[in-house]
Amino acid sequence: MAKKDLARDAWQQVVMLFLGDEQQERFHEACARVGLPHPGSLKALVSLDDVEPKSMRTLAAEMRCDASYITALVDSLEKAGYVERRVSDTDRRVKLLHVTTAGRRAKQTARTVLTTPPVAIEKLTESELRQLNALLAKVRENTPEPTRFTL
Amino acid sequence: MAKKDLARDAWQQVVMLFLGDEQQERFHEACARVGLPHPGSLKALVSLDDVEPKSMRTLAAEMRCDASYITALVDSLEKAGYVERRVSDTDRRVKLLHVTTAGRRAKQTARTVLTTPPVAIEKLTESELRQLNALLAKVRENTPEPTRFTL
DNA sequence: TATTGTTATACTCTATAACTATA
DNA sequence: TATAGTTATAGAGTATAACAATA
């Protein structure tokens, strides 16, 4: 088989695995666990850095959604006590989003739910898992722009 | 590292790869290419079998959504000429969804878009790709219920 | 009476446009 | 004048409830 087809096959299997495991339902479960209303707000929380605050605008760009929606998302995050808006010292138009301690805890909980592997993966042997990890790590190293958010 | 953690790591990498590659945008692109209004209708089309017709109810159960929404999705698929509703011979309440020739072509187009691998995967060597494929195939063999839809 | 599919309707998620405050 | 964020509003996507036809 041509190399191109091998690559396509590999990705096809990833897609099917992912859709088959219903990661979408995982996302909803994670929302329920941390008490957030919808996946958007959770994605926003996960997109924020624990120590380096981002402006609303930056977050909107990263999430590729409208700024007005970010307002709504951050409202729910603030209501849950997971982030604080603080006016920037250098530009008073800008609001910086600080993740609170509770926010960090919530992220950790979400991370645990989202990265729970499907049973099929756990059935691999230890050495197979090591191989798989090594290959996936290599793929991620090759990724041009690193993932927008880190789990 | 414990085996459990290796499995979690592997899955975490899959999740990040998948989200990083913006498979969601892929889905929208595939919709545009085959002229369907939204991901829901494309997912419905891809969930249908080319030869074995399914009832609306069955499709609703598989897609885990309300029957009334299936009505809307199938409306758009029928408008695009990709499926036909045919009343069942054995139960006249039931409508069976037949994929048309144009529908099969559309599925093939969508498949091509959705399985296009991210560049990072294409950078692996041929032997690494073979290894990755073999491991992923093994994972999919272990999957308890086979994926709802096959790309 | 129970079930399949449809219609009418309402709710949730997300975007566009108009607005306020600051630069 | 241009930019950051908010508010008001509208649109898309999805569900719930009531309904018609068939079982």
Side-chain angles (χ1 to χ4, degrees):
Chain A
M1 199 190 301
K3 200 189 153 192
K4 205 102 187 172
D5 296 322
L6 287 170
R8 181 175 289 274
D9 273 19
W11 186 242
Q12 175 177 344
Q13 300 210 62
V14 169
V15 172
M16 288 175 67
L17 233 183
F18 196 85
L19 296 175
D21 187 59
E22 281 308 313
Q23 196 65 14
Q24 202 190 344
E25 286 173 16
R26 280 291 170 75
F27 243 92
H28 281 283
E29 188 197 331
C31 289
R33 285 277 294 277
V34 301
L36 286 173
H38 51 250
S41 50
L42 180 56
K43 201 174 167 195
L45 179 61
V46 176
S47 302
L48 291 174
D49 192 277
D50 282 354
V51 297
E52 200 60 47
K54 283 176 188 165
S55 72
M56 312 270 287
R57 216 78 199 182
T58 305
L59 183 56
E62 283 184 9
M63 291 185 61
R64 289 155 172 68
C65 70
D66 193 85
S68 68
Y69 186 46
I70 293 293
T71 296
L73 296 182
V74 173
D75 283 350
S76 57
L77 290 179
E78 217 171 23
K79 202 166 105 184
Y82 295 158
V83 306
E84 278 174 22
R85 285 168 163 103
R86 294 193 206 152
V87 174
S88 160
D89 289 337
T90 56
D91 184 339
R92 312 213 9 233
R93 292 173 305 182
V94 172
K95 290 180 188 165
L96 294 173
L97 303 169
H98 292 255
V99 178
T100 65
T101 306
R104 281 188 280 280
R105 264 202 311 272
K107 277 176 76 167
Q108 181 53 49
T109 302
R111 187 177 295 130
T112 303
V113 174
L114 292 174
T115 62
T116 298
V119 284
I121 283 194
E122 290 184 324
K123 283 191 185 153
L124 291 181
T125 68
E126 189 162 335
S127 97
E128 285 169 336
L129 282 171
R130 281 187 208 287
Q131 265 189 68
L132 182 58
N133 267 315
L135 288 167
L136 291 171
K138 212 160 204 168
V139 171
R140 295 230 311 121
E141 275 165 30
N142 289 339
T143 302
E145 26 176 328
T147 346
R148 266 195 306 297
F149 61 87
T150 311
L151 281 178
Chain B
M1 200 190 303
K3 200 188 153 191
K4 205 101 185 174
D5 296 321
L6 287 170
R8 180 175 291 272
D9 273 18
W11 186 242
Q12 177 178 341
Q13 301 210 62
V14 169
V15 172
M16 288 176 67
L17 234 184
F18 196 86
L19 296 176
D21 187 59
E22 282 307 312
Q23 196 65 14
Q24 202 190 344
E25 285 172 18
R26 282 290 171 75
F27 242 93
H28 282 282
E29 188 197 332
C31 288
R33 285 278 292 278
V34 303
L36 286 173
H38 50 250
S41 50
L42 180 57
K43 202 175 168 195
L45 179 61
V46 176
S47 302
L48 291 173
D49 192 279
D50 282 353
V51 298
E52 201 60 47
K54 284 176 188 166
S55 72
M56 311 268 288
R57 216 78 200 180
T58 304
L59 183 56
E62 282 185 11
M63 290 186 62
R64 289 156 174 68
C65 70
D66 193 86
S68 67
Y69 186 46
I70 293 294
T71 297
L73 297 182
V74 172
D75 283 351
S76 57
L77 290 179
E78 217 171 22
K79 203 165 104 183
Y82 294 159
V83 307
E84 280 174 20
R85 287 168 162 102
R86 294 193 206 152
V87 174
S88 160
D89 289 337
T90 55
D91 183 338
R92 311 209 16 227
R93 291 172 305 182
V94 173
K95 290 179 188 165
L96 294 174
L97 303 170
H98 292 255
V99 179
T100 65
T101 305
R104 279 188 282 279
R105 263 202 309 273
K107 276 177 76 167
Q108 181 53 49
T109 302
R111 187 177 295 129
T112 303
V113 174
L114 292 173
T115 61
T116 297
V119 285
I121 282 193
E122 289 184 326
K123 282 190 186 154
L124 292 181
T125 68
E126 188 161 335
S127 98
E128 285 169 336
L129 282 171
R130 280 187 208 286
Q131 265 189 66
L132 181 58
N133 266 315
L135 288 167
L136 290 171
K138 211 159 204 168
V139 171
R140 295 231 311 121
E141 276 165 29
N142 288 339
T143 303
E145 25 175 327
T147 350
R148 269 197 302 297
F149 60 87
T150 311
L151 284 177

